[in-house]
Amino acid sequence: MIRKTVSLVSLAALSACSLAPKYVEPALPVPPSWPVGDAYLAQNEATLPSVSYRDIFRDPRLQKVIEQALVNNRDLRAAAANIAIARAQYRIQRAELLPEIGGSAGYTRRDNGTRGVSNTANGTGTGTGNTGTGNVGTITTSGGATNTLSASLGITAFEIDLFGRVRSLTTAAQNRYFGSEATARATRLTLVGDIATAWLTYASDVSLLKIARETAALSARSVALTKLRLDGGIAPRTDLAQAQIVQQTALSDLATQTTAVAQDVNALQLLVGAPVDPALLPASIEEAAPTIAELPAGLNSSILLRRPDVVQAEYELRASNAEIGAARAALFPTISLTALAGLASSSLGNLFTGGAFNYSVAPSASYPIFRAGAGRAGVVQSRAQRDYALATYEKAIQTAFSEVADALARRGTITAQLNAQRALTAASTDNYRLSDARYRGGIDTFLQSLTAQQSLYSSQRSLVTAQLTQASNLVTLYRTLGGDSTLEVTAAGPKSTQP
């Protein structure tokens, strides 16, 4: 009997073939190298090593803010929950590959009582006319009960996956689980980039606030001086009005930048998911921008296969490819097995004797004879879904290539722009000092001094913007390349999408 039980288990463990088409990784739908020309930086290396955000964002304060966010951010918690959901769905589907075995035990008492009635006429009757005597209607009752004890172990309707339908569905669920982990890594990558950008934006707004405050103080002195000259009959009233215009403009910018700095702190706290220590915030963009380092040079476009959104798209493509096999297998018969092995006895003492063992095996096969073409339509649908996933995967790579190319184009010109802006600010500073001295000496009009002051204010603000653009461009390159190994999910299994 044990041999028969082993045979049942062996039959249930029968491995399946697969009707899913062999997965072939699509060729990159982008050029093998980045664009070159005046707007692009030259690349001289072949591959990109794995990077860490600590290699790019080198300020310890920014690193602490990022680390705090990776623990507290609610989007990451939601992404972790999605991973848990996908993992559970995969495990549920994987369980279909193995038989479900259940055990049971029971006790039954059945009353089998019967009643028998006997009418006996064993007597004599005598009499005259209507009189007589006799012994009639004797009733006897007999009854009993049956006790049954049972214990059984069974397999309920297990599908023998001869054509790989269940295995293909399991492969699809597994790839979608891996895809959810890639999506979570994309969330981490975006979060790190957003925090770095918000940190730099705060630094630039602090610098703009400082410039507005200095300009407001400088214009206040100009207003006071011009008022004295007006009272002395040296300057016209228009000079005072023009000085007041500059002053009020600076005061308006001062209020705007004060609001911006406060909102920057709020934005950082939302990204981090907790209050941010003011000691972790930069004092100016001049201090913060140099702490953002360049990424390693020499990037081959195959590095885009490491971007989390591209990885997720490829896993979805793999899942769709596996579902073709499930749809094909649905065209073939479904073979199921139901088996039961157990013990039954009228007494507990005899329950485990050889005579108490019994078993039953009920294999079955089903095949839909007429479905109006639904089975073949399912195969066509799964192929169309695979084609859609392929187009989505290729579009993800092309989008990634475009984003990186745009960032490289900006990287190739921002240094020249920044140098020119610094030279412009230096020239504007000298021009204002000379114009102010000539005005105070009565050589130039106040309009020339005022124009020089406005030019200086504008160039200082533009310099801050250029510094922010340069640092933000490095953040954009970090994010669009998507090669931060410290943010990868190690439980995602084999990284077949790695170049």
Side-chain angles (χ1 to χ4, degrees):
M1 297 306 175
I2 296 177
R3 183 180 304 171
K4 294 178 181 179
T5 303
V6 173
S7 299
L8 291 176
V9 175
S10 300
L11 180 61
L14 182 64
S15 60
C17 62
S18 175
L19 298 179
K22 182 179 179 181
Y23 177 77
V24 178
E25 185 172 348
L28 278 176
V30 293
S33 61
W34 304 119
V36 295
D38 293 338
Y40 301 93
L41 293 178
Q43 307 297 329
N44 53 17
E45 298 291 338
T47 60
L48 174 72
S50 297
V51 297
S52 166
Y53 68 83
R54 297 182 184 88
D55 298 329
I56 309 303
F57 311 129
R58 296 183 178 178
D59 193 303
R61 297 171 298 178
L62 178 56
Q63 292 179 5
K64 289 182 180 179
V65 174
I66 293 174
E67 291 167 1
Q68 187 179 5
L70 291 176
V71 174
N72 296 308
N73 183 267
R74 269 49 179 186
D75 288 337
L76 293 187
R77 294 184 182 181
N82 286 333
I83 291 177
I85 293 172
R87 183 187 296 115
Q89 290 173 339
Y90 163 60
R91 290 177 176 175
I92 292 171
Q93 183 60 51
R94 185 180 60 180
E96 297 292 329
L97 292 171
L98 301 174
E100 180 179 343
I101 301 176
S104 64
Y107 166 73
T108 303
R109 177 180 176 85
R110 179 177 298 171
D111 187 356
N112 294 323
T114 59
R115 294 180 181 274
V117 178
S118 175
N119 296 324
T120 305
N122 295 326
T124 60
T126 60
T128 302
N130 294 328
T131 62
T133 61
N135 187 6
V136 183
T138 303
I139 301 174
T140 60
T141 303
S142 63
T146 301
N147 297 320
T148 302
L149 297 170
S150 64
S152 62
L153 188 68
I155 299 174
T156 305
F158 168 61
E159 180 178 346
I160 301 175
D161 197 24
L162 288 178
F163 304 104
R165 187 187 72 86
V166 178
R167 188 173 299 278
S168 293
L169 292 176
T170 302
T171 300
Q174 181 186 46
N175 281 289
R176 289 199 169 95
Y177 160 46
F178 291 162
S180 71
E181 293 186 321
T183 301
R185 184 159 62 91
T187 303
R188 293 184 181 93
L189 185 69
T190 300
L191 175 64
V192 171
D194 287 347
I195 288 178
T197 300
W199 193 77
L200 291 169
T201 301
Y202 172 86
S204 68
D205 284 337
V206 170
S207 293
L208 291 174
L209 177 63
K210 179 181 178 181
I211 293 172
R213 186 179 291 116
E214 291 175 350
T215 302
L218 186 62
S219 61
R221 291 194 296 268
S222 296
V223 168
L225 175 62
T226 305
K227 191 174 185 305
L228 290 176
R229 292 170 66 87
L230 175 63
D231 294 340
I234 301 176
R237 183 171 294 277
T238 55
D239 286 358
L240 178 60
Q242 291 170 345
Q244 289 173 336
I245 291 173
V246 175
Q247 181 186 32
Q248 295 306 316
T249 300
L251 290 174
S252 176
D253 290 342
L254 180 61
T256 299
Q257 291 306 135
T258 301
T259 301
V261 169
Q263 291 175 340
D264 291 339
V265 173
N266 293 336
L268 266 176
Q269 290 180 345
L270 177 61
L271 290 170
V272 172
V276 178
D277 187 353
L280 301 179
L281 300 177
S284 66
I285 191 64
E286 294 81 8
E287 172 191 288
T291 66
I292 311 300
E294 297 274 358
L295 279 99
L299 306 180
N300 185 286
S301 59
S302 63
I303 188 61
L304 297 179
L305 293 177
R306 299 175 59 198
R307 269 184 43 143
D309 58 336
V310 175
V311 173
Q312 191 276 334
E314 182 174 350
Y315 277 129
E316 181 62 31
L317 175 59
R318 290 173 178 269
S320 299
N321 191 76
E323 286 175 340
I324 295 177
R328 287 176 174 174
L331 299 175
F332 293 86
T334 300
I335 301 176
S336 301
L337 174 68
T338 300
L340 179 67
L343 303 168
S345 174
S346 60
S347 64
L348 183 62
N350 297 326
L351 180 62
F352 298 101
T353 61
F357 179 79
N358 61 84
Y359 74 93
S360 64
V361 179
S364 64
S366 63
Y367 181 75
I369 298 176
F370 178 74
R371 295 181 60 196
R376 295 189 180 277
V379 176
V380 174
Q381 180 187 27
S382 62
R383 285 175 176 169
Q385 290 173 337
R386 190 271 312 275
D387 293 342
Y388 175 82
L390 174 60
T392 302
Y393 170 69
E394 293 177 340
K395 179 64 180 296
I397 295 177
Q398 291 173 341
T399 301
F401 184 89
S402 177
E403 291 176 353
V404 176
D406 288 345
L408 289 174
R410 193 69 186 99
R411 186 77 198 110
T413 59
I414 186 59
T415 301
Q417 178 183 344
L418 184 58
N419 291 336
Q421 193 61 50
R422 283 175 176 149
L424 176 60
T425 302
S428 297
T429 302
D430 290 340
N431 182 53
Y432 171 70
R433 289 174 181 173
L434 292 173
S435 297
D436 184 64
R438 290 171 67 86
Y439 167 68
R440 293 174 183 271
I443 301 175
D444 288 341
T445 64
F446 181 70
L447 180 60
Q448 291 175 314
S449 176
L450 181 63
T451 301
Q453 184 179 11
Q454 290 174 331
S455 296
L456 174 60
Y457 183 52
S458 177
S459 65
Q460 288 175 327
R461 292 176 61 86
S462 297
L463 177 59
V464 170
T465 301
Q467 290 173 315
L468 175 62
T469 301
Q470 183 192 43
S472 297
N473 176 254
L474 294 174
V475 177
T476 300
L477 277 172
Y478 160 81
R479 182 158 44 189
T480 54
L481 288 173
D484 194 334
S485 59
T486 61
L487 302 178
E488 293 183 1
V489 181
T490 56
K495 296 182 176 61
S496 59
T497 57
Q498 301 284 350

